[in-house]
Amino acid sequence: DQSNIFTNNSMSNSVEVMNIGVALDKYHWVKDYMWNVVKPDADKYTAKTALREEKDGIKSGYFVRSLPGTKEVFPVQACMFISDEDIMQTAHNVIIAEENSELHLITGCATGEDVSSAMHVGVSELYVKPGAKITFTMVHNWAEQVEVRPRTGIKVEENGTYLNNYILNAVIKGDYTEFYEKEIEYRKMFNYPPFTDIVLFELSSSNFNIVKSESERLYNILNDSLTKYKVFSPKSPFVRR
């Protein structure tokens, strides 16, 4: 449903975890991170979520922020749970890894045993600041009758890293037919291959500074000319040879 059951932020001095409504009250600048990389008019589901926030005052979702220069050892955990029948759950989540920080977030989603019909709309906006890293692991166990409409936007700044892991209960059960069907469904939702094309450019040289400058130059050219396409900033290899 839309209620905020429990949050505990006392375990770490490097990460803030709270309800998005609490975060908006605590920090005036949080509003600048909402509806930034996901637009409210993207589709009817984002529009409904934005309308609930604006007209009904529903501020549901979580806010997670790693402080500058920190590296949290233990993962932060969050959960979305639907316990009521025939409801539309909307959640607006904001995750920020400040400059040179590292954050690992594990989210779980599930429904009550007696829920046979419901909808979950999850809007998530993730911000990876320069030199920061976010590892986002999702473990989902939605009931078959629940319609799920995730809408995710990610902004990765210079030398930032974003890793995404998605775990379906169908794989754990060994039901690979269900896994395939769910995987294709989510790939279509996120506009991932085979529903879109990704072009990868790889530059190599014995001089790292040359590769870095040329990668940035190529990025600027493509980003300025290919306005209808998403162009990602250059990424350095994890291991340099």
Side-chain angles (χ1 to χ4, degrees), residues 33-40 46 49-50 53 92 123 125 127:
Y33 289 88
M34 299 184 69
W35 303 117
N36 192 334
V37 288
V38 177
K39 300 303 181 184
T46 56
T49 302
E53 291 178 355
H92 194 164
V123 177
E125 301 187 73
Y127 299 88

Side-chain angles (χ1 to χ4, degrees), residues 113-177:
E113 293 183 359
D114 57 343
V115 175
S116 60
S117 177
M119 174 178 282
H120 168 80
V121 179
V123 177
S124 298
E125 301 187 73
L126 298 96
Y127 299 88
V128 184
K129 298 298 182 69
K133 178 180 178 180
I134 291 180
T135 302
F136 193 18
T137 302
M138 295 177 285
V139 184
H140 288 185
N141 188 27
W142 296 111
E144 292 185 9
Q145 303 86 346
V146 175
E147 296 184 61
V148 182
R149 298 292 182 266
R151 299 294 184 262
T152 303
I154 307 157
K155 182 178 180 180
V156 181
E157 297 188 40
E158 185 178 7
N159 293 322
T161 302
Y162 174 74
L163 301 176
N164 181 251
N165 306 301
Y166 188 75
I167 301 172
L168 280 170
N169 194 48
V171 177
I172 299 174
K173 295 187 298 183
D175 188 342
Y176 293 101
T177 299

Side-chain angles (χ1 to χ4, degrees), residues 2-213:
Q2 301 295 149
S3 56
N4 176 38
I5 303 300
F6 176 74
T7 59
N8 184 352
N9 194 34
S10 63
M11 298 296 291
S12 173
N13 294 322
S14 60
V15 178
E16 293 182 301
V17 182
M18 64 192 79
N19 176 268
I20 191 66
V22 175
L24 285 166
D25 291 336
K26 184 175 181 178
Y27 300 119
H28 70 277
W29 47 261
V30 171
K31 66 180 186 299
D32 297 330
Y33 289 88
M34 299 184 69
W35 303 117
N36 192 334
V37 288
V38 177
K39 300 303 181 184
D41 58 354
D43 58 30
K44 63 181 180 181
Y45 302 107
T46 56
K48 179 64 174 179
T49 302
L51 184 64
R52 281 187 164 190
E53 291 178 355
E54 181 68 24
K55 300 296 184 181
D56 301 333
I58 295 177
K59 300 294 191 299
S60 181
Y62 53 79
F63 172 84
V64 179
R65 173 179 175 245
S66 57
L67 301 183
T70 63
K71 295 184 179 181
E72 179 58 41
V73 176
F74 299 103
V76 177
Q77 299 180 43
C79 179
M80 296 294 175
F81 185 76
I82 296 179
S83 59
D84 298 325
E85 183 82 0
D86 295 323
I87 71 161
M88 177 181 178
Q89 180 190 66
T90 56
H92 194 164
N93 312 309
V94 173
I95 302 100
I96 304 171
E98 296 287 6
E99 190 168 354
N100 296 319
S101 69
E102 290 190 15
L103 171 66
H104 185 185
L105 178 64
I106 299 177
T107 64
C109 297
T111 53
E113 293 183 359
D114 57 343
V115 175
S116 60
S117 177
M119 174 178 282
H120 168 80
V121 179
V123 177
S124 298
E125 301 187 73
L126 298 96
Y127 299 88
V128 184
K129 298 298 182 69
K133 178 180 178 180
I134 291 180
T135 302
F136 193 18
T137 302
M138 295 177 285
V139 184
H140 288 185
N141 188 27
W142 296 111
E144 292 185 9
Q145 303 86 346
V146 175
E147 296 184 61
V148 182
R149 298 292 182 266
R151 299 294 184 262
T152 303
I154 307 157
K155 182 178 180 180
V156 181
E157 297 188 40
E158 185 178 7
N159 293 322
T161 302
Y162 174 74
L163 301 176
N164 181 251
N165 306 301
Y166 188 75
I167 301 172
L168 280 170
N169 194 48
V171 177
I172 299 174
K173 295 187 298 183
D175 188 342
Y176 293 101
T177 299
E178 181 184 346
F179 166 71
Y180 170 79
E181 293 172 349
K182 290 291 185 181
E183 178 67 15
I184 288 297
E185 179 183 348
Y186 283 111
R187 282 178 174 267
K188 186 174 182 180
M189 287 180 186
F190 288 117
N191 199 30
Y192 287 166
F195 301 98
T196 191
D197 294 320
I198 296 178
V199 179
L200 176 66
F201 295 89
E202 182 176 327
L203 280 67
S204 63
S205 172
S206 58
N207 190 317
F208 177 76
N209 291 328
I210 292 177
V211 172
K212 186 175 185 295
S213 62

